[in-house]
DNA sequence: ATCCTTGCAAAAGTTTTGCATTCCC
DNA sequence: GGGAATGCAAAACTTTTGCAAGGAT
């Protein structure tokens, strides 16, 4: 830690406690409650810095860049088709160790999965689509 | 088909014959070989139109929006960590029928998988990283 | 006092829109 | 000739950068 790290801490904590990756606007909105004068440029700069430090990383989902804290272990994302929120889920439905060779000669080093569907909240509040 | 559909046809064919989803710049570049005066606005307009007609759809991958033809059946994407190209692959490593309930109460309606690794070309041309 | 960080505003990049012209029928 | 599609340029947005002001030591 170099020095004054107020916004860095606020933003890092927001991402650590979020239910899933957050969009920049959302981060700005949430952080503004603690830091009312916070500018969007600082949000971008802080996110870039945290990403370089490997504390967070970007995921692109449904055309939007979102950020999440690292250190959550292997996980995937669930995007609710009804409310648009994205959640982190820990069950992994595949067995694809690095080195696995896929038909066609593609050698696998990693994978990302996004699940789509209805989140628990939207099951309570809405009937079937 | 309403009428003059030159660029529409060119762009649709590019996407149908591509090895995977293409970025807008790439589509513009490829289409320009047939249509030298083609403007980027027309590319965006055409992509939007084709997407509304359900002939193509957008996928976001590694922070970039790409487009692919529909009608390729269930498939996933392989993104090469070495050359950056994205390929369509047809093996699906999961069994997740719609209605499956994930731990936490997430009801699944669909899924998207992106595999990362080394593509066949990059295995020929480069040694291990 | 000095160095680093911030907010603001301008700039750069990407996607969309307005409009006059061109293209087809 | 008339309606639709196109290219260009401007407008909207999103993200980055420059810079003067503010904060911390």
């Amino acid at each position: 830690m170099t020095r004054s790290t107020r916004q860095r801490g606020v933003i890092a904590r927001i991402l650590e406690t979020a239910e899933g990756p957050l969009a920049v606007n959302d981060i700005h909105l949430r952080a503004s409650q603690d830091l009312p004068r916070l500018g969007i440029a600082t949000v971008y700069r802080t996110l870039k810095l945290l990403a370089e430090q490997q504390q967070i990383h970007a995921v692109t989902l449904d055309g939007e860049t979102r950020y999440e804290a690292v250190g959550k272990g292997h996980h995937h994302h669930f995007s609710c088709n009804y409310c648009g929120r994205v959640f982190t889920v820990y069950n992994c439905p595949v067995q694809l160790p690095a080195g696995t060779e896929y038909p066609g000669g593609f050698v696998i080093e990693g994978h990302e999965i996004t699940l789509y569907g209805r989140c628990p909240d939207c099951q309570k509040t809405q009937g079937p689509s």
Side-chain angles (χ1 to χ4, degrees), chain A:
Chain A
M1 237 123 295
T2 48
R3 296 264 239 73
S4 141
T5 317
R6 187 76 209 287
Q7 12 280 80
R8 208 169 309 173
V10 170
I11 290 178
R13 180 146 1 88
I14 286 172
L15 293 180
E16 277 155 23
T17 59
E19 77 271 6
L22 301 180
V24 176
N25 280 344
D26 197 357
I27 296 167
H28 185 207
L29 213 66
R30 295 185 191 207
S32 294
Q33 299 187 352
D34 281 309
L35 307 159
R37 297 182 28 84
L38 178 66
I40 189 71
T42 302
V43 174
Y44 277 107
R45 273 188 288 238
T46 303
L47 290 172
K48 192 175 189 178
L49 181 68
L50 289 170
E52 282 164 5
Q53 293 177 175
Q54 315 261 41
Q55 285 193 246
I56 66 173
H57 68 101
V59 301
T60 313
L61 232 137
D62 305 321
E64 225 183 9
T65 301
R66 290 164 175 261
Y67 289 85
E68 67 184 352
V70 303
K72 293 190 180 295
H74 187 70
H75 66 272
H76 295 299
H77 299 120
F78 181 96
S79 175
C80 180
N81 287 331
Y82 304 87
C83 66
R85 282 186 295 167
V86 176
F87 301 85
T88 297
V89 296
Y90 289 96
N91 280 64
C92 178
V94 302
Q95 257 284 78
L96 286 173
T100 301
E101 186 169 331
Y102 229 63
F106 298 96
V107 176
I108 293 187
E109 298 178 350
H111 67 269
E112 271 179 23
I113 300 179
T114 306
L115 304 168
Y116 292 90
R118 193 191 288 264
C119 78
D121 287 347
C122 287
Q123 282 165 64
K124 288 177 214 148
T125 55
Q126 303 177 222
S129 57

